Amino acid sequence: MGTRDADTVAPESCPTSSGMPVLGLGTWQNTDADQCAESVETALETGYRHIDTAQAYDNEEAVGEGIARADVDREEIFLATKIWISNLAREDVLETARESLDRLGVDYVDLLYVHWPARTYDPEETLGAFEQLYEEGLIENVGVSNFLPEQLEEALELCDAPILANQVEMHPLLPQSELRETCADNDVEVVAYSPLARGDVFDRPEIQEIAEKHGVSEAQVSLAWLREKGVTAIPKATGGDHIRDNWASLSLDLDDEDIEAIDSIEERNRAVDPEFGPWNQ
Ligand SMILES: NC(=O)c1ccc[n+]([C@@H]2O[C@H](COP(=O)([O-])OP(=O)(O)OC[C@H]3O[C@@H](n4cnc5c(N)ncnc54)[C@H](OP(=O)(O)O)[C@@H]3O)[C@@H](O)[C@H]2O)c1
């Protein structure tokens, strides 16, 4: 397998599961408004059709600007945002979701996540408000993020609107086996955030060897491994080089030996670990 060139991957080759494109663009810490709009525009023009933002990233307006600038119809784009942990009381969900739509310049989002099950999160009240947004047509799907298996199961019981995905940190140094099983049992997609472990996967010799063998970047190896696990990945990339490099992972097929070598990595590394994370309670 030779070096992968992003230009050889057509947009329509981006596979989907449940209608969600399996590779998206992350935007956390892409806070310079011009830069962020440019990243989103470049991604959409490269072929990406899934963009991930959040109220807490302080860039919803710039993401909306990038979407407006790109020559891609809104209906073709899978747009996700998240309600921050201080806004999860019923009235705040209803009000701030509308504010997010205004900042994004859209009349619906494809996926609205509960960013973390923390602070003002009250399962019944919060998910009741998400249900209302779903019924009003402002969101196409409910998402949860950073939910432990038991919290996901509780949410599934309480929420009448479809819960499409649980967005959690996942990469070769945090394979999330138990959580993936719970998601699979309940037809909930896993979306991997920090799919490059914020750069830490690049230093693993197993990943480096596989990258060299296929003539691709370490980033592509990590993203192809996630795809092989049936997981959607949303790597954050700012400039065109990284955006295109990650896109090219869609045409990298790892073989059984590669997958086994990555599965055998024993190092564990959680890159995003705030005190309010449910695993710290
Ligand atoms: N739900 C949550 O609680 C949560 C938490 C964390 C993240 N997220 C979401 O997940 C997204 C991704 O996670 P993340 O931003 O934490 O980390 P990440 O995607 O694992 O890593 C991003 C870092 O890797 C670099 N990079 C990207 N592509 C590269 C490539 N091909 N070669 C070399 N370096 C590359 C980026 O640099 P450049 O920026 O310079 O391109 C950036 O420094 C976030 O942006 C956000 O949308 C969600």
Side-chain angles (χ1 to χ4, degrees):
M1 211 168 293
T3 305
R4 296 295 170 182
D5 177 350
D7 294 341
T8 63
V9 186
E12 59 272 20
S13 73
C14 181
T16 64
S17 40
S18 312
M20 177 169 58
V22 298
L23 187 69
L25 179 77
T27 62
W28 182 30
Q29 296 176 332
N30 196 341
T31 42
D32 178 274
D34 277 345
Q35 175 61 76
C36 181
E38 197 179 317
S39 304
V40 170
E41 182 184 7
T42 303
L44 290 170
E45 285 177 352
T46 300
Y48 288 71
R49 292 294 179 266
H50 179 169
I51 309 289
D52 183 85
T53 181
Q55 292 177 341
Y57 300 168
D58 204 18
N59 63 9
E60 287 177 314
E61 219 170 315
V63 167
E65 174 64 25
I67 290 173
R69 276 193 216 161
D71 190 18
V72 177
D73 290 343
R74 164 69 186 99
E75 309 78 66
E76 278 186 45
I77 302 168
F78 187 94
L79 178 60
T81 192
K82 315 183 191 81
I83 304 271
W84 187 237
I85 56 176
S86 47
N87 298 334
L88 292 169
R90 182 177 179 83
E91 289 311 315
D92 295 337
V93 170
L94 298 175
E95 189 182 325
T96 68
R98 285 178 166 78
E99 289 167 2
S100 285
L101 295 187
D102 282 350
R103 282 190 293 268
L104 288 161
V106 296
D107 45 24
Y108 71 96
V109 286
D110 299 270
L111 183 56
L112 183 71
Y113 292 100
V114 176
H115 204 148
W116 293 83
R119 302 262 161 90
T120 58
Y121 176 64
D122 174 90
E124 219 162 318
E125 187 184 327
T126 304
L127 294 166
F130 272 63
E131 238 174 72
Q132 185 175 329
L133 292 169
Y134 174 75
E135 280 157 15
E136 290 174 12
L138 299 185
I139 69 176
E140 292 275 302
N141 294 281
V142 175
V144 296
S145 179
N146 296 298
F147 275 43
L148 300 174
E150 58 272 24
Q151 292 172 318
L152 174 63
E153 279 166 347
E154 177 189 44
L156 285 161
E157 260 181 42
L158 287 172
C159 190
D160 283 338
I163 297 187
L164 179 71
N166 189 9
Q167 182 180 129
V168 295
E169 179 172 344
M170 181 175 165
H171 43 70
L173 311 180
L174 195 66
Q176 298 279 19
S177 310
E178 189 202 340
L179 186 75
R180 276 194 281 133
E181 241 180 80
T182 308
C183 287
D185 290 348
N186 291 287
D187 284 330
V188 172
E189 301 275 356
V190 178
V191 175
Y193 75 67
S194 307
L196 310 175
R198 304 179 62 75
D200 285 352
V201 297
F202 305 157
D203 300 328
R204 285 300 314 182
E206 298 86 344
I207 307 271
Q208 290 170 345
E209 267 170 42
I210 297 166
E212 196 173 333
K213 169 175 145 188
H214 292 284
V216 299
S217 68
E218 285 80 8
Q220 288 191 39
V221 173
S222 193
L223 297 173
W225 175 82
L226 285 159
R227 197 179 76 242
E228 178 66 34
K229 300 290 177 195
V231 166
T232 292
I234 47 166
K236 178 248 188 183
T238 307
D241 286 357
H242 288 170
I243 289 171
R244 285 186 287 272
D245 186 41
N246 296 340
W247 183 248
S249 70
L250 290 175
S251 54
L252 170 63
D253 290 319
L254 299 176
D255 59 36
D256 292 347
E257 197 189 340
D258 302 330
I259 300 290
E260 215 178 292
I262 299 173
D263 287 346
S264 308
I265 295 175
E266 284 179 3
E267 182 190 338
R268 291 291 170 262
N269 176 346
R270 190 185 279 281
V272 179
D273 194 14
E275 42 77 29
F276 55 75
W279 46 84
N280 290 323
Q281 305 313 307

